[in-house]
Amino acid sequence: MARVLVVDDDPDFVKIASMVLGRAGHDVESAANGAKAIQAMQENCPDVVVLDIMMSYVLDGLDVSREMAQDPTLKDVPVIMVSSLTGTKDSGLFPTDEYLPVRDG
């Protein structure tokens, strides 16, 4: 299976995501912030990264993805961006599913 890096400052999310991914047979590592995520990826390149957008500061996750894009060994690693924006003052910064096209069938 895949080597997955879960990056989030919410320990509950990390625990649940790690449990679900681990039960599916994936090798899961975690990092609690962007700096630790970059360090972990440079030490052991993951197959995929589950990356929180908002961690230490509002766009920490986006900064990590930008750094990954500049690193030749990390630029092709797929990233799944996640965040819980509901009810935060920054929720208006990001598009919601209301902007996604609806496909029939």
Side-chain angles (χ1 to χ4, degrees), residues 10-88:
D10 179 351
D12 292 332
F13 177 81
V14 171
K15 181 179 179 181
I16 292 169
S18 297
M19 182 175 53
V20 169
L21 292 165
R23 285 186 180 168
H26 300 290
D27 179 23
V28 183
E29 294 182 30
S30 65
N33 61 47
K36 290 179 181 178
I38 294 295
Q39 180 181 359
M41 285 186 268
Q42 290 171 340
E43 291 173 3
N44 190 10
C45 187
D47 296 313
V48 65
V49 177
V50 177
L51 179 61
D52 185 16
I53 295 171
M54 297 172 61
M55 289 182 285
S56 301
Y57 52 94
V58 175
L59 300 179
D60 193 17
L62 292 178
D63 290 340
V64 169
S65 67
R66 287 184 190 116
E67 284 190 50
M68 289 176 67
Q70 299 298 316
D71 186 322
T73 61
L74 301 176
K75 68 179 183 143
D76 294 324
V77 175
V79 177
I80 300 170
M81 301 292 279
V82 297
S83 197
S84 176
L85 298 173
T86 305
T88 68

